[in-house]
Amino acid sequence: MSQQLQPQFRLRKGIAVTTTEYGSVLLDEKDGTYWQLNECGTLVVTAISEGRSPSDAVEQLLAEYDVERAVAEADVAELTGRLIEAKIVTRAGGPR
């Protein structure tokens, strides 16, 4: 799928990201909930916050870690889906 056809995402306004020794923490400043992410999850969220596509995150995971493409694609899709469900990430052009 070309990058132009992929849905683009962004972090919702009010989500603070803090880097930790083991990855990062996302804090929803609106309701105080937080997510703790490992290094791979942090890589995905960083890609999203920089306006890059999920496939860009997959490619970066493949370059930096010893992981099969199918596993990286499934993990990125699952995390992105959970972040959308939690309203931490929205589709670009959607409500902030």
Side-chain angles (χ1 to χ4, degrees), residues 19-41:
T19 303
T20 68
E21 184 177 348
Y22 303 104
S24 64
V25 174
L26 307 179
L27 173 65
D28 185 337
E29 296 172 336
K30 183 177 177 181
D31 66 13
T33 58
Y34 69 94
W35 285 52
Q36 186 171 353
L37 301 174
N38 63 18
E39 291 177 3
C40 294

Side-chain angles (χ1 to χ4, degrees), residues 3 17 20 37 39 42 44-45 49 57-58 61 73 80-81 96:
Q3 186 170 344
V17 181
T20 68
L37 301 174
E39 291 177 3
T42 298
V44 174
V45 168
S49 69
V58 168
L61 283 170
E73 289 173 344
T80 303
R96 291 189 153 240

Side-chain angles (χ1 to χ4, degrees), residues 67-92:
V67 62
E68 293 181 23
R69 178 175 293 278
V71 172
E73 289 173 344
D75 288 352
V76 169
E78 180 181 355
L79 178 57
T80 303
R82 287 182 175 204
L83 293 172
I84 290 169
E85 186 177 301
K87 297 181 174 64
I88 291 172
V89 168
T90 60
R91 294 190 188 278

